[in-house]
Amino acid sequence: QVQLVESGGGLVQAGGSLRLTCDAKRTISSASAMGWYRQAPGKQRELVIVMRSDGRTTYGDAVKGRVTISEEPLAGVQHLEMTGLKPEDTAVYYCYFEKNGYEYWGQGAQVTISS
């Protein structure tokens, strides 16, 4: 069974940066898409970033210019890097991989930005 383990969440000061990791532990390779969404209390799930296997990347409007995604393909690992963090970035961040028409999701990582 595919399980995605997220790490790197926590408390970050406004203006700082963070790096989140999503580890599929070598159970996923050649994913058709991967990326991150987030959800704040009382709000809908929001796109952060998605990268497809052809390299096309889609950014959420609220984070465009402040986020990047990288991959360790042989390890089944992806990373989210964010800079210029704002209090409104506070949310639970969920990673996902897509392969063969199936989506696999991480358990969520709480990110809190202090003002």
Side-chain angles (χ1 to χ4, degrees):
Q1 184 175 1
V2 175
Q3 296 185 28
L4 309 184
V5 179
E6 297 186 33
S7 61
L11 178 65
V12 184
Q13 191 171 11
S17 62
L18 64 79
R19 189 189 199 201
L20 300 178
T21 297
C22 181
D23 189 357
K25 299 185 177 182
R26 300 182 182 272
T27 59
I28 297 178
S29 62
S30 301
S32 58
M34 67 188 73
W36 298 79
Y37 291 78
R38 68 186 185 184
Q39 187 166 19
K43 298 183 179 180
Q44 293 183 327
R45 188 185 67 173
E46 177 186 25
L47 170 70
V48 178
I49 186 171
V50 170
M51 184 175 70
R52 296 164 178 82
S53 59
D54 62 5
R56 292 181 299 158
T57 304
T58 302
Y59 302 89
D61 290 340
V63 299
K64 187 176 179 63
R66 301 190 292 117
V67 298
T68 59
I69 188 170
S70 61
E71 180 189 11
E72 303 175 37
L74 297 179
V77 173
Q78 61 168 302
H79 304 280
L80 173 72
E81 295 184 350
M82 296 186 62
T83 61
L85 291 166
K86 307 172 182 179
E88 51 264 43
D89 292 322
T90 295
V92 178
Y93 286 70
Y94 298 92
C95 68
Y96 92 100
F97 286 90
E98 181 180 339
K99 186 174 182 179
N100 297 329
Y102 293 91
E103 296 181 355
Y104 305 92
W105 291 88
Q107 82 280 5
Q110 176 68 53
V111 174
T112 302
I113 312 302
S114 61
S115 58

